[in-house]
Amino acid sequence: MPSGLIALALGGFGIGLTEFLIAGLLPQVASSFAVSEAAAGRLISGYALSVAIGAIVLTAATARLPRKPVLVGLVALFVIGNLLSAVAPSYPVMLLGRIVAALCHGSFFGIGSLVARSLVAAEKKSRAVAVMFAGLTVANVLGVPFGAWIGERWGWRAAFWAVTAIGVLALAAIAALVPGGAGRTEPPTARTSSSHPVPTSDLRAQFRAFRSWQVWLTLTATALSYGGMFGAFSYIAYTFTEVGGFSPADVSWLLMVYGVGLVVGNVIGGRAADRDRDRALVHSLLGLTVTLAVFGLLADSAVASVILVFLMGLFGFAGVPGMITCVTDHAHGAALAASANVSASNLGNALGAWLGGAAITAGLGYTAPLYVGAGTVLASVAVMALAAHLARSPAHQ
């Protein structure tokens, strides 16, 4: 395994911690700044919106620059944002710190995925992307309990100081271990839809990559699949406590079970995508659809809930490495398309959370987000199947 992949995974771990740990610290932050729960919640929603915007803007702005210095700069932005949060004297400064840290998120994973796949042979590119995203999945397992544990002992600011330190370590690792020429235009492969890869410095060509229907279909499938999973996940604590009979104290370890599923799914999905990407994507999405639907039916069973929340994480992340290599292949290696995939996932998260909340507000119960999520992911199965069919059709080669 190239050492540069480990450095990228460390950066993904730090960024993932920033995204997830705030959930366990919101009560402390709200109390510290004397703001409402809703205002504290904007530290999460504001982060997600900034990810979606920053992924496109920063990737476009840095298109002509070498990939390694861009990654170093993005991690430096991450460090500055978390440092602002750690020392914030007021809520507006805290929110600014969250926004600054979020701006690097989408571009880091978009550009980083291109760098990761350039470090290995073409037949291992999905696995390389999975290694980079392993940091994010591990952060999902540890983020909330990590933040809550540090916050309880040393206060919420200590959690952000810890993440800042991880960011400094990741910055040094990327600077030292990622090769200087990594991430430049890759040679075409059998799965690339064109024999003319996009030069990293050609911004117009980066935008022209979005003329491909395959790119738009994959971005749509990404948004729908993330939306379905996140719509269910956003309200899973209510499903556990109000339907499954778990105590509020049980929610933390149940979320860790979900996180372990993410880690396992990431590894399996990366390997499966390198063997047969289209089949792996359709199967993972179908698995997530069935899991969410069955979860809705069996949510009142404690044993079934534990098994199904693990499978929810596994199938939910199994398609991520393949989705990224799919969109970047059809975009001929355009970094902007890779970052757009991250934006699509965050927009899907927002849509899914809204749909799940609307279902609960309509009086459909705390299992409703699971059924809504299953329907949303099923739509992504149809989109992905269409994309696979068109990719094999001679008329669309």
Side-chain angles (χ1 to χ4, degrees):
M1 183 184 298
S3 57
L5 283 180
I6 304 300
L8 293 172
L10 180 59
F13 176 68
I15 292 174
L17 279 182
T18 297
E19 181 177 15
F20 300 120
L21 67 77
I22 188 66
L25 300 172
L26 279 186
Q28 291 186 41
V29 173
S31 175
S32 177
F33 294 126
V35 298
S36 67
E37 292 84 352
R42 295 189 193 104
L43 297 173
I44 296 177
S45 58
Y47 184 97
L49 182 60
S50 297
V51 169
I53 296 172
I56 301 298
V57 174
L58 288 184
T59 303
T62 59
R64 293 183 172 86
L65 301 177
R67 300 296 94 193
K68 179 177 176 178
V70 169
L71 286 175
V72 171
L74 290 171
V75 178
L77 193 64
F78 163 80
V79 170
I80 292 169
N82 281 285
L83 185 60
L84 271 176
S85 295
V87 302
S90 64
Y91 172 80
V93 177
M94 175 71 174
L95 181 59
L96 176 62
R98 292 287 292 168
I99 290 172
V100 170
L103 288 174
C104 78
H105 184 125
S107 292
F108 178 85
F109 284 108
I111 296 170
S113 65
L114 295 178
V115 172
R117 55 186 281 172
S118 74
L119 297 177
V120 300
E123 65 272 13
K124 296 181 179 180
K125 59 188 176 184
S126 292
R127 274 172 280 183
V129 172
V131 170
M132 189 194 74
F133 272 83
L136 179 64
T137 58
V138 171
N140 203 317
V141 178
L142 301 177
V144 174
F146 174 84
W149 180 73
I150 290 184
E152 287 174 4
R153 284 158 178 76
W154 299 291
W156 65 266
R157 294 182 187 275
F160 284 95
W161 278 113
V163 175
T164 300
I166 292 172
V168 172
L169 182 61
L171 190 153
I174 290 172
L177 301 177
V178 173
R184 295 189 180 278
T185 303
E186 296 178 73
T189 70
R191 286 182 178 171
T192 305
S193 60
S194 171
S195 59
H196 302 289
V198 173
T200 57
S201 60
D202 191 339
L203 187 56
R204 289 185 178 180
Q206 297 267 336
F207 279 105
R208 281 199 299 270
F210 289 94
R211 294 178 180 177
S212 168
W213 277 105
Q214 288 288 347
V215 170
W216 285 107
L217 287 171
T218 308
L219 292 177
T220 301
T222 295
L224 290 171
S225 61
Y226 268 86
M229 182 176 70
F230 197 77
F233 178 75
S234 296
Y235 305 96
I236 199 69
Y238 294 104
T239 307
F240 285 141
T241 57
E242 302 299 324
V243 181
F246 291 97
S247 71
D250 290 325
V251 173
S252 293
W253 69 262
L254 287 166
L255 292 180
M256 290 190 71
V257 172
Y258 169 80
V260 171
L262 293 179
V263 174
V264 175
N266 182 53
V267 174
I268 294 175
R271 292 181 175 274
D274 279 332
R275 289 194 296 269
D276 188 332
R277 187 176 61 208
D278 291 341
R279 177 175 294 182
L281 288 174
V282 171
H283 285 181
S284 65
L285 294 173
L286 275 174
L288 181 58
T289 301
V290 173
T291 297
L292 293 175
V294 173
F295 202 165
L297 293 172
L298 303 180
D300 58 348
S301 167
V303 174
S305 293
V306 174
I307 296 171
L308 289 165
V309 78
F310 170 80
L311 292 177
M312 181 176 159
L314 187 152
F315 286 116
F317 220 86
V320 171
M323 284 285 194
I324 292 174
T325 57
C326 185
V327 74
T328 50
D329 275 356
H330 289 301
H332 324 314
L336 197 58
S339 295
N341 197 68
V342 180
S343 292
S345 66
N346 278 270
L347 292 174
N349 290 350
L351 172 65
W354 179 79
L355 289 174
I360 292 174
T361 302
L364 300 178
Y366 289 113
T367 59
L370 291 164
Y371 293 119
V372 172
T376 306
V377 179
L378 184 60
S380 77
V381 174
V383 173
M384 204 66 248
L386 174 61
H389 172 73
L390 292 177
R392 289 182 168 87
S393 172
H396 293 85
Q397 294 297 320

